[in-house]
């Protein structure tokens, strides 16, 4: 089992003072703005990453 991924900053105020929440898996609390939020991994996209240019950057 892997360790849970931690967000780097609060999505509301941008502060980095985050703590795991008591609401369960993926729940986080921000001490700076006093908000709680939950992160959830939905899965991988079937189409994968698509480039916008034809061949990428040429040197």
């Amino acid at each position: 089992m892997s360790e849970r991924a931690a967000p780097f900053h609060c999505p509301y105020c941008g502060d980095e003072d985050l703590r795991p929440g008591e609401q369960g898996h993926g729940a986080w609390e921000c001490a700076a703005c006093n908000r709680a939020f939950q992160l959830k991994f939905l899965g991988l996209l079937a189409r994968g990453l698509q480039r916008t240019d034809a061949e990428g950057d040429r040197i």
Side-chain angles (χ1 to χ4, degrees), residues 1-42:
M1 183 116 199
S2 64
E3 188 176 327
R4 75 166 112 178
F8 294 113
H9 55 83
C10 174
Y12 298 100
C13 72
D15 200 88
E16 298 177 353
D17 191 5
L18 302 176
R19 299 180 181 124
E22 297 178 0
Q23 294 78 20
H25 182 71
W28 292 90
E29 298 173 354
C30 178
C33 68
N34 203 31
R35 288 186 169 116
F37 58 94
Q38 188 169 15
L39 301 177
K40 182 177 180 181
F41 177 70
L42 299 176

Side-chain angles (χ1 to χ4, degrees), residues 31-59:
C33 68
N34 203 31
R35 288 186 169 116
F37 58 94
Q38 188 169 15
L39 301 177
K40 182 177 180 181
F41 177 70
L42 299 176
L44 298 174
L45 300 175
R47 65 179 182 269
L49 179 65
Q50 296 182 7
R51 298 185 70 131
T52 57
D53 57 347
E55 296 181 35
D57 296 332
R58 292 187 174 221
I59 297 178

